[in-house]
C-alpha cells in the first residue's frame, strides 16, 4: 500500500518547524507543507489537536496528529523505523541523545527566539520580508496587514523586556559553551556517536535564526539589512568551534537531505 502523505502545518520562520522539516528530510519521508499566518495559526492547530496545543509544528500522518517538534521526532522513530534512525533504540546513547535534545530544545529554542526577535524589532530590518517571504502573495498581504498585532503578541508572549533579552544573550552563549564541550572543540564530531541524531538537528536548527546559515530559511539575502548586534554576535560565534560546527551541520548534513526548504515553501499553499 502507498505511504499516507504526511502534512506539516507550520509557520515558515519558526525554528521549531525547521527542526521538524530537517527531521522529516533526514528520515527520507515525503511530506507537504501548509503555511500558517502567526496568530491565525491557532485556529488551525487547535482544530487539528481537538482543542489542545495552539503551537506549531503540527504533523498529520494518516490518522495520527502529533504536535510539538520533540513529540514528532519520537513519533517518527516509532512509526517509520525502517528509515534512518535519528534516536537510538535503547541504551546509554538513546538516553544521551534525548537529554541533549531536551536541553538544546529549551535553551536554544527559547532564548535564540527571544533575543533575535528583540533585536529585529528594535532595528530597521525588513520584518515583513523576514516573516512572510515564504508565503503565497495573498497570504503575504494578510500577514503584512496583521503585522502590528503579530509584533505586539510576540512581545507579550516571549517577554521582550530588556532584562529578559539580556538573560537570553547569556543563555545563548551558555549553549555555545556546552556545545563546544560536547564536541570537545572538534567541529567535525557529532554530539552522540558517529552519525547524525535528533540532538544534532535540534542544536543546529534552533540556533539557525541567529547563525543565518546558507541553506537555511534564515540565510541573509543580498542587500538585506542585518541589525548590528545580531551581526556582531553571529560573527563572534562563527569564529568559535561551536560556530563552525553549526555551519558544518547545514553544509554537510542539511544540504544533502531531500529537497530542502526552498522548493517546498514555494509550492506550499500554491
Amino acid at each position: 500500500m502507498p505511504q499516507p502523505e504526511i502534512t506539516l502545518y507550520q509557520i515558515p520562520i519558526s525554528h521549531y518547524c525547521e527542526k521538524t522539516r530537517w527531521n522529516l528530510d533526514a528520515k527520507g519521508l515525503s511530506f507537504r507543507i501548509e503555511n500558517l499566518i502567526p496568530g491565525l495559526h491557532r485556529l488551525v492547530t487547535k482544530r487539528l489537536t481537538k482543542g489542545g496545543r495552539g503551537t506549531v509544528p503540527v504533523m498529520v500522518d494518516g490518522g495520527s496528529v502529533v504536535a510539538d517538534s520533540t513529540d514528532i521526532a519520537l513519533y517518527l522513530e516509532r512509526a517509520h523505523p525502517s528509515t534512518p534512525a535519528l534516536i537510538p533504540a535503547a541504551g546509554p546513547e538513546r538516553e544521551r541523545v534525548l537529554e541533549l535534545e531536551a536541553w538544546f530544545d529549551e535553551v536554544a529554542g527559547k532564548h535564540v527566539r527571544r533575543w533575535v526577535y528583540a533585536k529585529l524589532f528594535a532595528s530597521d530590518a525588513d520584518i515583513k520580508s523576514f516573516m512572510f517571504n515564504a508565503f503565497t502573495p495573498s497570504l503575504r498581504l494578510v500577514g503584512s496587514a496583521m503585522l502590528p498585532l503579530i509584533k505586539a503578541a510576540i512581545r507579550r508572549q516571549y517577554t521582550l523586556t530588556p532584562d529578559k533579552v539580556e538573560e537570553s544573550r547569556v543563555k545563548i552563549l551558555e549553549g555555545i559553551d556546552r556545545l563546544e564541550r560536547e564536541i570537545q572543540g572538534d567541529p567535525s564530531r557529532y554530539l552522540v556517536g558517529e552519525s547524525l541524531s535528533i540532538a544534532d538537528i535540534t542544536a543546529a536548527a534552533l540556533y539557525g535564526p541567529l547563525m543565518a546559515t546558507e541553506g537555511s530559511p534564515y540565510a541573509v539575502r543580498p542587500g538585506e539589512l542585518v541589525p548590528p548586534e545580531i551581526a556582531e554576535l553571529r560573527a563572534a560565534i562563527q569564529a568559535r568551534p561551536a560556530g563552525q560546527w553549526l555551519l558544518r551541520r547545514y553544509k554537510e548534513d542539511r544540504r544533502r537531505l531531500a529537497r530542502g526548504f526552498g522548493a517546498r515553501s514555494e509550492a506550499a499553499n500554491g
Side-chain angles (χ1 to χ4, degrees):
M1 295 179 63
Q3 176 183 302
E5 185 176 65
I6 296 171
T7 301
L8 177 65
Y9 293 83
Q10 66 158 17
I11 295 172
I13 62 167
S14 162
H15 53 349
Y16 287 107
C17 293
E18 165 65 354
K19 172 186 164 186
T20 294
R21 288 191 299 267
W22 191 336
N23 191 175
L24 285 160
D25 282 339
K27 297 289 287 180
L29 299 171
S30 62
F31 62 102
R32 62 186 292 269
I33 278 175
E34 287 289 339
N35 285 331
L36 307 176
I37 296 288
L40 296 179
H41 74 279
R42 298 175 67 86
L43 300 174
V44 177
T45 58
K46 282 188 171 293
R47 173 178 57 80
L48 290 169
T49 59
K50 301 187 184 305
R53 300 181 67 95
T55 58
V56 290
V58 174
M59 184 188 73
V60 178
D61 181 14
S64 298
V65 178
V66 191
D68 181 80
S69 60
T70 298
D71 289 344
I72 289 171
L74 292 168
Y75 167 86
L76 289 174
E77 292 302 323
R78 296 192 304 269
H80 301 278
S82 61
T83 53
L86 298 173
I87 303 173
E93 284 201 347
R94 177 181 176 86
E95 294 175 6
R96 188 73 175 139
V97 164
L98 293 177
E99 188 271 327
L100 286 167
E101 193 278 341
W103 195 88
F104 282 107
D105 193 77
E106 170 66 17
V107 173
K110 175 181 178 180
H111 294 290
V112 167
R113 178 177 62 190
R114 175 189 285 152
W115 193 83
V116 169
Y117 269 127
K119 299 309 172 184
L120 285 172
F121 286 0
S123 75
D124 295 323
D126 184 359
I127 302 297
K128 289 182 182 179
S129 178
F130 175 73
M131 296 189 75
F132 307 122
N133 187 60
F135 288 96
T136 58
S138 59
L139 287 179
R140 281 200 290 272
L141 289 174
V142 174
S144 296
M146 290 186 61
L147 185 58
L149 293 175
I150 292 170
K151 290 173 70 174
I154 288 172
R155 286 193 177 98
R156 181 177 62 254
Q157 183 177 351
Y158 301 152
T159 323
L160 304 190
T161 59
D163 58 330
K164 288 295 186 180
V165 172
E166 174 57 20
E167 175 191 331
S168 287
R169 185 191 67 83
V170 172
K171 290 293 187 180
I172 285 168
L173 293 174
E174 285 181 8
I176 293 298
D177 290 341
R178 177 160 189 187
L179 181 54
E180 288 182 350
R181 292 195 301 272
E182 297 294 340
I183 63 172
Q184 299 178 29
D186 182 356
S188 70
R189 295 174 65 108
Y190 290 107
L191 286 170
V192 181
E194 301 299 321
S195 61
L196 185 74
S197 75
I198 193 62
D200 302 292
I201 290 172
T202 300
L206 297 188
Y207 269 101
L210 175 58
M211 299 304 292
T213 313
E214 184 181 351
S216 80
Y218 318 103
V220 179
R221 294 181 293 275
E224 185 175 356
L225 174 67
V226 179
E229 288 183 84
I230 293 180
E232 289 168 11
L233 185 56
R234 180 179 297 159
I237 293 174
Q238 286 178 345
R240 297 179 54 169
Q244 292 302 304
W245 183 92
L246 291 166
L247 296 175
R248 193 161 179 163
R249 294 288 67 78
Y250 264 93
K251 182 178 180 180
E252 295 186 0
D253 295 296
R254 189 71 175 108
R255 280 188 185 178
R256 67 180 169 78
L257 299 172
R259 294 184 294 171
F261 174 81
R264 284 194 305 275
S265 64
E266 290 169 4
N269 298 327

